[in-house]
Coordinates of all heavy atoms in Angstrom, one line a residue:
M1 N 48.9 120.3 100.8 CA 49.3 120.6 99.4 C 50.6 119.9 99.1 O 51.5 119.8 99.9 CB 49.5 122.1 99.3 CG 49.8 122.5 97.9 SD 49.8 124.3 97.7 CE 50.2 124.5 96.0
T2 N 50.6 119.3 97.9 CA 51.8 118.6 97.5 C 52.8 119.5 96.7 O 52.4 120.5 96.1 CB 51.4 117.4 96.6 OG1 52.5 116.7 96.2 CG2 50.6 117.8 95.4
T3 N 54.0 119.1 96.7 CA 55.0 119.8 96.0 C 55.3 119.2 94.6 O 56.1 119.7 93.8 CB 56.3 119.9 96.7 OG1 56.8 118.6 97.0 CG2 56.2 120.6 98.1
L4 N 54.6 118.2 94.3 CA 54.7 117.5 93.0 C 54.0 118.3 91.9 O 52.9 118.8 92.1 CB 54.2 116.1 93.0 CG 54.9 115.1 94.0 CD1 54.2 113.8 93.9 CD2 56.4 115.0 93.6
L5 N 54.5 118.3 90.7 CA 53.8 118.9 89.5 C 52.7 117.9 89.2 O 52.7 116.7 89.4 CB 54.8 119.0 88.4 CG 56.0 119.9 88.5 CD1 56.9 119.8 87.3 CD2 55.5 121.4 88.6
P6 N 51.6 118.5 88.6 CA 50.5 117.7 88.3 C 50.8 116.4 87.4 O 50.2 115.4 87.7 CB 49.6 118.6 87.5 CG 49.9 120.0 88.0 CD 51.4 119.9 88.3
I7 N 51.7 116.5 86.5 CA 52.1 115.4 85.7 C 52.7 114.3 86.5 O 52.6 113.1 86.3 CB 52.9 115.8 84.5 CG1 52.9 114.7 83.4 CG2 54.3 116.2 84.9 CD1 53.4 115.1 82.0
I8 N 53.5 114.7 87.5 CA 54.1 113.7 88.4 C 53.1 113.1 89.4 O 53.1 112.0 89.8 CB 55.3 114.3 89.2 CG1 56.3 114.9 88.2 CG2 56.0 113.3 90.1 CD1 56.9 113.9 87.2
E9 N 52.1 114.0 89.8 CA 51.0 113.5 90.6 C 50.3 112.3 90.0 O 49.8 111.4 90.6 CB 50.1 114.6 91.0 CG 50.6 115.5 92.1 CD 49.7 116.6 92.5 OE1 48.5 116.6 92.0 OE2 50.1 117.5 93.3
E10 N 50.2 112.4 88.6 CA 49.5 111.3 87.9 C 50.2 110.0 88.2 O 49.5 109.0 88.4 CB 49.5 111.6 86.4 CG 48.6 112.7 86.0 CD 48.7 113.0 84.5 OE1 49.2 112.2 83.8 OE2 48.3 114.1 84.1
L11 N 51.5 110.0 88.2 CA 52.3 108.8 88.5 C 52.0 108.4 89.9 O 51.8 107.2 90.2 CB 53.8 109.0 88.2 CG 54.7 107.8 88.6 CD1 54.3 106.5 87.8 CD2 56.1 108.2 88.4
A12 N 52.1 109.3 90.8 CA 51.9 109.1 92.3 C 50.5 108.5 92.5 O 50.4 107.6 93.4 CB 52.1 110.3 93.1
D13 N 49.5 108.9 91.8 CA 48.2 108.4 92.0 C 47.8 107.1 91.2 O 46.7 106.6 91.3 CB 47.2 109.5 91.6 CG 47.2 110.7 92.5 OD1 47.7 110.6 93.6 OD2 46.8 111.8 92.0
A14 N 48.8 106.6 90.4 CA 48.5 105.4 89.6 C 48.2 104.2 90.5 O 48.9 104.0 91.4 CB 49.8 105.1 88.7
P15 N 47.1 103.5 90.1 CA 46.6 102.5 91.0 C 47.4 101.2 90.9 O 47.3 100.3 91.8 CB 45.2 102.3 90.6 CG 45.2 102.7 89.1 CD 46.2 103.8 89.0
D16 N 48.1 100.9 89.8 CA 48.8 99.7 89.7 C 50.0 99.8 88.7 O 50.2 100.9 88.1 CB 47.8 98.6 89.2 CG 47.1 99.0 87.9 OD1 47.6 99.7 87.1 OD2 46.0 98.5 87.7
H17 N 50.7 98.8 88.5 CA 51.9 98.8 87.6 C 51.5 99.1 86.2 O 52.3 99.7 85.4 CB 52.7 97.5 87.8 CG 53.4 97.4 89.0 ND1 53.7 98.4 89.9 CD2 53.9 96.3 89.7 CE1 54.4 98.0 90.9 NE2 54.5 96.7 90.8
A18 N 50.4 98.5 85.7 CA 49.9 98.8 84.4 C 49.7 100.3 84.1 O 50.2 100.8 83.1 CB 48.7 98.0 84.0
A19 N 49.1 101.0 85.0 CA 48.9 102.4 84.9 C 50.2 103.1 85.0 O 50.5 104.1 84.3 CB 48.0 102.9 86.0
R20 N 51.1 102.7 85.8 CA 52.5 103.3 85.9 C 53.2 103.1 84.6 O 53.9 104.0 84.1 CB 53.3 102.7 87.1 CG 52.7 103.1 88.4 CD 53.6 102.5 89.6 NE 52.8 102.6 90.8 CZ 52.0 101.7 91.3 NH1 51.9 100.5 90.8 NH2 51.3 102.0 92.4
A21 N 53.1 101.9 84.0 CA 53.8 101.6 82.8 C 53.2 102.5 81.6 O 54.0 103.1 80.8 CB 53.6 100.2 82.4
R22 N 51.9 102.7 81.6 CA 51.3 103.6 80.6 C 51.8 105.0 80.8 O 52.1 105.7 79.8 CB 49.8 103.5 80.6 CG 49.2 102.2 80.1 CD 47.7 102.2 79.9 NE 47.0 102.4 81.2 CZ 46.7 101.3 82.0 NH1 47.1 100.1 81.7 NH2 46.1 101.6 83.1
W23 N 51.9 105.4 82.0 CA 52.4 106.8 82.3 C 53.8 106.9 81.8 O 54.1 107.9 81.1 CB 52.3 107.1 83.8 CG 52.7 108.5 84.1 CD1 51.9 109.6 84.3 CD2 54.0 109.0 84.4 NE1 52.6 110.7 84.6 CE2 53.9 110.3 84.7 CE3 55.3 108.4 84.5 CZ2 55.0 111.1 85.0 CZ3 56.4 109.1 84.8 CH2 56.3 110.5 85.1
L24 N 54.7 106.0 82.0 CA 56.1 106.0 81.6 C 56.2 106.1 80.1 O 57.0 106.8 79.5 CB 56.8 104.8 82.1 CG 57.2 104.8 83.6 CD1 57.7 103.5 84.0 CD2 58.3 105.9 83.8
L25 N 55.3 105.4 79.4 CA 55.3 105.4 77.9 C 54.8 106.7 77.3 O 55.1 107.1 76.2 CB 54.6 104.2 77.4 CG 55.2 102.8 77.6 CD1 54.2 101.7 77.3 CD2 56.5 102.7 76.9
E26 N 53.9 107.3 78.0 CA 53.2 108.5 77.5 C 53.8 109.8 77.9 O 53.6 110.8 77.2 CB 51.7 108.5 77.9 CG 50.9 107.3 77.3 CD 49.6 107.1 77.9 OE1 49.1 107.9 78.8 OE2 48.9 106.1 77.5
V27 N 54.5 109.9 79.0 CA 55.0 111.2 79.5 C 56.1 111.6 78.5 O 56.8 110.8 78.0 CB 55.5 111.0 80.9 CG1 56.8 110.2 81.0 CG2 55.7 112.3 81.6
P28 N 56.2 113.0 78.3 CA 57.3 113.5 77.5 C 58.6 113.1 78.1 O 58.8 113.0 79.4 CB 57.1 115.0 77.6 CG 55.7 115.2 77.9 CD 55.3 114.0 78.8
L29 N 59.6 112.7 77.3 CA 60.9 112.3 77.7 C 61.6 113.4 78.5 O 62.4 113.2 79.5 CB 61.8 111.9 76.6 CG 61.3 110.6 75.9 CD1 62.1 110.3 74.6 CD2 61.3 109.4 76.8
S30 N 61.3 114.7 78.2 CA 61.8 115.8 79.0 C 61.4 115.8 80.4 O 62.2 116.2 81.3 CB 61.4 117.1 78.3 OG 60.0 117.3 78.3
V31 N 60.2 115.2 80.7 CA 59.8 115.1 82.1 C 60.6 114.0 82.8 O 61.0 114.2 84.0 CB 58.3 114.8 82.2 CG1 57.8 114.4 83.6 CG2 57.5 116.0 81.6
L32 N 60.9 112.9 82.1 CA 61.7 111.9 82.7 C 63.1 112.4 83.1 O 63.6 112.1 84.2 CB 61.8 110.7 81.8 CG 60.6 109.9 81.6 CD1 60.9 108.7 80.7 CD2 59.9 109.5 82.9
I33 N 63.7 113.2 82.2 CA 65.0 113.8 82.5 C 64.9 114.8 83.6 O 65.6 114.7 84.6 CB 65.6 114.5 81.2 CG1 66.0 113.5 80.2 CG2 66.7 115.5 81.6 CD1 67.3 112.8 80.5
R34 N 64.0 115.7 83.5 CA 63.8 116.8 84.5 C 63.5 116.3 85.9 O 64.0 116.8 86.9 CB 62.8 117.8 84.0 CG 62.6 119.0 84.9 CD 61.4 119.8 84.6 NE 60.1 119.1 84.8 CZ 59.0 119.2 84.2 NH1 58.9 120.1 83.2 NH2 58.0 118.5 84.4
D35 N 62.6 115.4 86.0 CA 62.0 114.9 87.2 C 62.4 113.5 87.6 O 61.7 112.8 88.3 CB 60.5 115.0 87.2 CG 60.0 116.5 87.1 OD1 60.5 117.3 87.8 OD2 59.2 116.7 86.2
Q36 N 63.6 113.1 87.1 CA 64.0 111.7 87.3 C 64.1 111.3 88.7 O 63.9 110.1 89.1 CB 65.3 111.4 86.5 CG 66.5 112.2 86.9 CD 67.7 111.9 86.1 OE1 68.3 110.9 86.1 NE2 68.0 112.9 85.2
V37 N 64.5 112.2 89.6 CA 64.6 111.8 91.0 C 63.3 111.5 91.6 O 63.1 110.5 92.3 CB 65.4 112.9 91.8 CG1 65.3 112.6 93.3 CG2 66.8 113.1 91.3
A38 N 62.3 112.4 91.4 CA 60.9 112.1 91.9 C 60.3 110.9 91.3 O 59.7 110.1 92.0 CB 60.1 113.3 91.6
V39 N 60.5 110.7 90.0 CA 60.0 109.5 89.3 C 60.6 108.2 89.9 O 59.9 107.3 90.2 CB 60.2 109.6 87.8 CG1 59.8 108.3 87.1 CG2 59.4 110.8 87.2
N40 N 61.9 108.3 90.0 CA 62.6 107.1 90.6 C 62.1 106.8 92.0 O 61.8 105.6 92.3 CB 64.1 107.4 90.7 CG 64.9 106.2 91.0 OD1 64.8 105.6 92.1 ND2 65.7 105.7 90.1
R41 N 61.9 107.8 92.8 CA 61.4 107.6 94.2 C 60.0 107.0 94.2 O 59.7 106.1 94.9 CB 61.3 109.0 94.9 CG 60.9 108.9 96.3 CD 60.8 110.3 97.0 NE 60.1 111.3 96.3 CZ 58.7 111.3 96.3 NH1 58.0 110.5 97.0 NH2 58.1 112.3 95.7
L42 N 59.1 107.5 93.3 CA 57.7 107.0 93.2 C 57.7 105.5 92.7 O 57.0 104.7 93.2 CB 56.9 107.9 92.3 CG 56.6 109.2 92.9 CD1 55.9 110.1 91.8 CD2 55.6 109.1 94.1
L43 N 58.5 105.2 91.7 CA 58.6 103.8 91.2 C 59.2 102.9 92.3 O 58.7 101.8 92.4 CB 59.4 103.8 89.9 CG 58.9 104.6 88.7 CD1 59.8 104.5 87.6 CD2 57.5 104.0 88.3
S44 N 60.2 103.4 93.0 CA 60.8 102.6 94.1 C 59.7 102.3 95.2 O 59.6 101.2 95.6 CB 62.0 103.3 94.7 OG 63.0 103.3 93.8
A45 N 59.0 103.3 95.6 CA 58.0 103.2 96.6 C 56.9 102.2 96.3 O 56.4 101.5 97.1 CB 57.4 104.6 97.0
A46 N 56.6 102.2 95.0 CA 55.6 101.3 94.5 C 56.1 99.8 94.2 O 55.3 98.9 93.9 CB 55.0 101.8 93.2
G47 N 57.4 99.7 94.4 CA 58.0 98.4 94.1 C 58.0 98.0 92.6 O 57.9 96.8 92.3
F48 N 58.0 98.9 91.7 CA 57.9 98.7 90.3 C 59.3 98.6 89.7 O 59.8 99.5 89.1 CB 57.1 99.8 89.7 CG 56.7 99.6 88.2 CD1 56.6 98.3 87.7 CD2 56.4 100.6 87.4 CE1 56.2 98.1 86.4 CE2 56.0 100.4 86.1 CZ 55.9 99.1 85.6
H49 N 59.9 97.4 89.8 CA 61.2 97.1 89.4 C 61.4 97.4 87.9 O 62.3 98.0 87.4 CB 61.7 95.7 89.7 CG 63.0 95.3 89.1 ND1 64.2 95.8 89.6 CD2 63.3 94.5 88.1 CE1 65.2 95.3 88.9 NE2 64.7 94.6 88.0
E50 N 60.5 96.9 87.1 CA 60.5 97.0 85.6 C 60.5 98.5 85.2 O 61.1 99.0 84.3 CB 59.5 96.3 84.9 CG 59.7 94.8 84.9 CD 60.9 94.4 84.1 OE1 61.2 95.0 83.1 OE2 61.6 93.4 84.5
G51 N 59.7 99.3 86.0 CA 59.6 100.7 85.7 C 61.0 101.4 86.0 O 61.4 102.3 85.3
L52 N 61.6 101.0 87.1 CA 63.0 101.5 87.4 C 64.0 101.2 86.3 O 64.8 102.0 85.9 CB 63.4 101.0 88.8 CG 62.7 101.5 90.0 CD1 63.0 100.7 91.2 CD2 63.0 103.0 90.2
V53 N 63.9 99.9 85.8 CA 64.8 99.5 84.7 C 64.6 100.4 83.5 O 65.5 100.8 82.9 CB 64.6 98.0 84.4 CG1 65.4 97.6 83.2 CG2 65.1 97.2 85.6
Y54 N 63.3 100.6 83.2 CA 62.9 101.4 82.0 C 63.4 102.8 82.2 O 64.0 103.4 81.3 CB 61.4 101.3 81.8 CG 61.0 102.3 80.7 CD1 61.3 102.0 79.3 CD2 60.4 103.5 81.0 CE1 60.9 102.9 78.3 CE2 60.0 104.4 80.0 CZ 60.3 104.0 78.6 OH 59.9 104.9 77.7
L55 N 63.2 103.4 83.3 CA 63.6 104.8 83.6 C 65.1 104.9 83.4 O 65.6 105.8 82.7 CB 63.2 105.2 85.0 CG 63.7 106.6 85.4 CD1 63.0 107.7 84.5 CD2 63.3 106.9 86.9
A56 N 65.9 104.0 84.0 CA 67.3 104.0 83.9 C 67.8 103.9 82.4 O 68.7 104.6 82.0 CB 67.9 102.9 84.7
A57 N 67.1 103.0 81.7 CA 67.5 102.8 80.3 C 67.2 104.1 79.5 O 68.0 104.5 78.6 CB 66.7 101.6 79.7
E58 N 66.0 104.7 79.7 CA 65.7 106.0 79.0 C 66.7 107.1 79.4 O 67.2 107.8 78.5 CB 64.3 106.4 79.3 CG 63.2 105.7 78.6 CD 63.1 106.0 77.1 OE1 64.0 106.7 76.5 OE2 62.2 105.5 76.4
I59 N 67.0 107.2 80.6 CA 67.9 108.3 81.1 C 69.3 108.0 80.5 O 70.0 109.0 80.0 CB 68.0 108.4 82.6 CG1 66.7 108.7 83.2 CG2 69.1 109.3 83.0 CD1 66.1 110.0 82.8
S60 N 69.7 106.8 80.5 CA 71.0 106.4 79.9 C 71.1 106.8 78.4 O 72.0 107.3 77.9 CB 71.4 105.0 80.0 OG 71.6 104.7 81.4
A61 N 70.0 106.4 77.7 CA 70.0 106.7 76.2 C 69.9 108.2 75.9 O 70.6 108.6 75.0 CB 68.7 105.9 75.6
L62 N 69.1 108.9 76.7 CA 69.0 110.3 76.5 C 70.3 111.1 76.9 O 70.5 112.2 76.4 CB 67.8 110.9 77.3 CG 66.4 110.4 76.8 CD1 65.4 110.7 77.8 CD2 66.1 111.0 75.4
S63 N 71.1 110.5 77.7 CA 72.3 111.2 78.2 C 73.5 110.7 77.5 O 74.6 111.2 77.8 CB 72.4 110.9 79.7 OG 71.3 111.4 80.4
A64 N 73.4 109.6 76.7 CA 74.6 109.0 76.1 C 75.2 109.9 75.0 O 74.6 110.7 74.3 CB 74.2 107.7 75.4
T65 N 76.5 109.8 74.9 CA 77.3 110.4 73.8 C 76.8 109.7 72.5 O 76.7 108.5 72.5 CB 78.8 110.3 74.0 OG1 79.1 110.9 75.3 CG2 79.6 110.9 72.9
R66 N 76.6 110.5 71.5 CA 76.2 110.0 70.2 C 77.3 109.9 69.2 O 78.3 110.7 69.3 CB 75.0 110.8 69.7 CG 73.8 110.8 70.6 CD 72.7 111.6 70.1 NE 73.0 113.0 70.2 CZ 72.5 113.9 69.4 NH1 71.5 113.6 68.5 NH2 72.8 115.2 69.5
G67 N 77.2 109.0 68.3 CA 78.3 108.9 67.3 C 78.0 109.8 66.1 O 77.1 110.6 66.2
R68 N 78.8 109.7 65.1 CA 78.7 110.5 63.9 C 77.3 110.4 63.3 O 76.9 111.3 62.6 CB 79.8 110.2 62.9 CG 81.1 110.6 63.4 CD 82.2 110.3 62.4 NE 83.5 110.7 62.9 CZ 84.6 110.4 62.3 NH1 84.6 109.8 61.1 NH2 85.8 110.8 62.8
D69 N 76.7 109.3 63.5 CA 75.4 109.1 62.9 C 74.2 109.7 63.7 O 73.1 109.6 63.3 CB 75.1 107.6 62.6 CG 75.1 106.8 63.9 OD1 75.4 107.3 65.0 OD2 75.0 105.5 63.8
G70 N 74.6 110.3 64.8 CA 73.6 110.9 65.7 C 72.9 110.0 66.7 O 72.0 110.4 67.4
L71 N 73.4 108.7 66.7 CA 72.8 107.7 67.5 C 73.7 107.3 68.7 O 74.9 107.4 68.5 CB 72.4 106.5 66.7 CG 71.4 106.7 65.5 CD1 71.3 105.4 64.7 CD2 70.1 107.1 66.1
A72 N 73.1 106.9 69.8 CA 73.8 106.3 70.9 C 74.4 105.0 70.4 O 74.0 104.4 69.4 CB 72.9 106.2 72.1
A73 N 75.3 104.5 71.2 CA 75.9 103.2 70.9 C 74.8 102.1 70.8 O 73.8 102.2 71.4 CB 76.9 102.8 72.0
H74 N 75.1 101.1 70.0 CA 74.1 100.0 69.7 C 73.7 99.4 71.1 O 72.5 99.1 71.2 CB 74.7 99.0 68.8 CG 73.8 97.8 68.5 ND1 72.8 97.9 67.7 CD2 73.9 96.5 68.9 CE1 72.1 96.8 67.6 NE2 72.8 95.9 68.4
T75 N 74.6 99.2 72.0 CA 74.2 98.5 73.3 C 73.2 99.4 74.1 O 72.3 98.9 74.7 CB 75.5 98.2 74.1 OG1 76.2 99.4 74.3 CG2 76.3 97.1 73.5
V76 N 73.4 100.7 74.0 CA 72.5 101.6 74.7 C 71.1 101.6 74.1 O 70.1 101.5 74.8 CB 73.1 103.1 74.7 CG1 72.1 104.1 75.2 CG2 74.4 103.1 75.4
R77 N 71.1 101.6 72.8 CA 69.8 101.5 72.1 C 69.1 100.2 72.3 O 67.9 100.2 72.5 CB 70.0 101.8 70.6 CG 70.5 103.2 70.3 CD 70.5 103.6 68.8 NE 70.7 102.6 67.8 CZ 71.9 102.3 67.2 NH1 72.9 103.0 67.5 NH2 71.9 101.4 66.3
M78 N 69.8 99.1 72.3 CA 69.2 97.8 72.5 C 68.7 97.7 73.9 O 67.6 97.1 74.2 CB 70.2 96.7 72.2 CG 70.5 96.6 70.7 SD 69.1 96.6 69.6 CE 68.4 95.0 70.1
T79 N 69.4 98.2 74.9 CA 69.0 98.1 76.3 C 67.7 98.9 76.5 O 66.8 98.5 77.1 CB 70.1 98.7 77.2 OG1 71.3 97.9 77.1 CG2 69.6 98.7 78.7
R80 N 67.6 100.1 75.8 CA 66.4 100.9 75.9 C 65.3 100.2 75.3 O 64.2 100.2 75.8 CB 66.7 102.2 75.2 CG 65.6 103.2 75.1 CD 65.9 104.3 74.2 NE 65.3 105.6 74.5 CZ 65.4 106.7 73.9 NH1 66.2 106.7 72.8 NH2 64.8 107.8 74.2
E81 N 65.4 99.6 74.1 CA 64.3 98.9 73.4 C 63.9 97.7 74.2 O 62.7 97.4 74.3 CB 64.7 98.5 72.0 CG 64.8 99.7 71.1 CD 63.5 100.6 71.1 OE1 62.4 100.0 70.9 OE2 63.6 101.8 71.3
H82 N 64.8 97.0 74.8 CA 64.4 95.8 75.6 C 63.6 96.2 76.8 O 62.5 95.6 77.1 CB 65.7 95.1 76.1 CG 65.4 93.9 76.9 ND1 64.9 92.7 76.4 CD2 65.5 93.7 78.2 CE1 64.7 91.8 77.3 NE2 65.1 92.4 78.5
A83 N 64.0 97.3 77.5 CA 63.2 97.8 78.6 C 61.9 98.3 78.2 O 60.9 98.1 78.8 CB 64.0 98.9 79.3
R84 N 61.8 99.0 77.0 CA 60.6 99.5 76.5 C 59.6 98.4 76.2 O 58.4 98.5 76.5 CB 60.8 100.4 75.2 CG 59.6 101.0 74.7 CD 59.8 102.0 73.6 NE 60.5 103.1 74.1 CZ 61.4 103.9 73.3 NH1 61.6 103.6 72.1 NH2 61.9 104.9 73.9
I85 N 60.1 97.3 75.6 CA 59.2 96.2 75.3 C 58.6 95.6 76.6 O 57.4 95.3 76.6 CB 59.9 95.1 74.5 CG1 60.2 95.6 73.1 CG2 59.1 93.8 74.4 CD1 61.2 94.8 72.3
G86 N 59.4 95.5 77.6 CA 58.9 95.0 78.9 C 57.8 95.9 79.4 O 56.8 95.4 79.9
I87 N 58.0 97.2 79.3 CA 57.0 98.2 79.9 C 55.7 98.1 79.0 O 54.6 98.2 79.5 CB 57.6 99.6 79.9 CG1 58.7 99.7 81.0 CG2 56.6 100.7 80.1 CD1 58.1 99.5 82.4
Q88 N 55.9 98.0 77.7 CA 54.7 97.9 76.8 C 53.8 96.7 77.2 O 52.6 96.8 77.2 CB 55.1 97.8 75.4 CG 55.7 99.1 74.9 CD 56.3 99.0 73.5 OE1 56.8 97.9 73.1 NE2 56.4 100.1 72.8
I89 N 54.5 95.6 77.5 CA 53.7 94.4 77.9 C 53.0 94.6 79.2 O 51.8 94.3 79.3 CB 54.7 93.1 78.0 CG1 55.2 92.7 76.7 CG2 54.0 92.0 78.7 CD1 56.3 91.8 76.7
I90 N 53.6 95.2 80.2 CA 53.0 95.5 81.4 C 51.8 96.5 81.2 O 50.8 96.4 81.8 CB 54.0 96.0 82.5 CG1 55.0 94.9 82.8 CG2 53.3 96.6 83.7 CD1 56.2 95.3 83.6
A91 N 52.1 97.5 80.4 CA 51.0 98.6 80.1 C 49.8 98.0 79.5 O 48.7 98.4 79.8 CB 51.6 99.6 79.2
R92 N 49.9 96.9 78.8 CA 48.8 96.2 78.2 C 48.1 95.3 79.2 O 47.1 94.6 78.9 CB 49.2 95.4 77.0 CG 49.5 96.3 75.8 CD 49.7 95.5 74.5 NE 50.7 94.4 74.6 CZ 51.9 94.5 74.1 NH1 52.3 95.6 73.5 NH2 52.8 93.6 74.2
G93 N 48.7 95.1 80.4 CA 48.1 94.3 81.4 C 48.6 92.9 81.5 O 48.1 92.1 82.3
G94 N 49.7 92.6 80.8 CA 50.3 91.3 80.9 C 51.6 91.4 81.6 O 52.3 92.4 81.7
A95 N 52.0 90.2 82.2 CA 53.3 90.1 82.9 C 53.6 91.1 83.9 O 54.7 91.6 84.1 CB 54.4 90.1 81.8
E96 N 52.5 91.5 84.6 CA 52.7 92.5 85.7 C 53.5 92.0 86.9 O 53.2 90.9 87.3 CB 51.3 93.0 86.1 CG 51.4 94.3 86.9 CD 50.0 94.9 87.1 OE1 49.3 95.0 86.1 OE2 49.7 95.3 88.2
E97 N 54.4 92.7 87.3 CA 55.2 92.3 88.5 C 54.4 92.6 89.8 O 54.0 93.7 90.0 CB 56.5 93.1 88.6 CG 57.6 92.6 87.8 CD 58.9 93.3 88.3 OE1 58.8 94.4 88.9 OE2 60.0 92.7 88.0
G98 N 54.3 91.6 90.6 CA 53.6 91.9 91.9 C 52.2 92.4 91.8 O 51.6 92.3 90.7
V99 N 51.7 93.0 92.8 CA 50.4 93.6 92.9 C 50.5 95.1 93.1 O 51.2 95.5 94.0 CB 49.6 92.9 94.0 CG1 48.2 93.6 94.1 CG2 49.4 91.4 93.8
G100 N 49.8 95.8 92.2 CA 49.7 97.3 92.3 C 50.8 98.0 92.9 O 51.2 99.0 93.0

């Protein structure tokens, strides 16, 4: 029996980086915050560098102090969007890093 929650098991069972990227884009952001250690460990074990970059960018953006406009600093938002674009490309099956 595993100690992972079913939603995290989906990531653990992902067959390749494209599936991992789709999971990262679809999972609730609250799961990324709550289970960031487990997600980081699974992405590291899979050698999914872009996934790790995306996770770090999301966590940074979600944890950032916000300005009067309710938004994180421009650099934080741009880093997040750049990482998200990379993950979207991988999720569509293009520019995949390494093999599965």
Side-chain angles (χ1 to χ4, degrees):
M1 183 173 181
T2 181
T3 60
L4 297 176
L5 295 172
I7 197 164
I8 304 300
E9 284 182 4
E10 291 176 17
L11 176 61
D13 294 340
D16 55 29
H17 290 339
R20 290 179 193 96
R22 285 189 298 275
W23 184 91
L24 285 166
L25 291 170
E26 295 169 3
V27 71
L29 294 174
S30 61
V31 171
L32 293 182
I33 287 283
R34 182 190 68 209
D35 297 311
Q36 62 185 287
V37 172
V39 172
N40 190 296
R41 182 181 53 79
L42 291 168
L43 296 174
S44 292
F48 189 23
H49 174 73
E50 288 294 325
L52 290 167
V53 169
Y54 174 75
L55 177 64
E58 282 290 4
I59 298 302
S60 293
L62 292 168
S63 303
T65 301
R66 298 178 293 154
R68 289 182 182 174
D69 60 1
L71 299 173
H74 181 72
T75 54
V76 172
R77 295 191 327 261
M78 293 307 296
T79 299
R80 180 189 207 181
E81 287 307 309
H82 181 73
R84 184 176 289 153
I85 290 167
I87 288 298
Q88 289 170 335
I89 291 168
I90 294 168
R92 289 191 302 260
E96 194 167 317
E97 274 194 340
V99 176

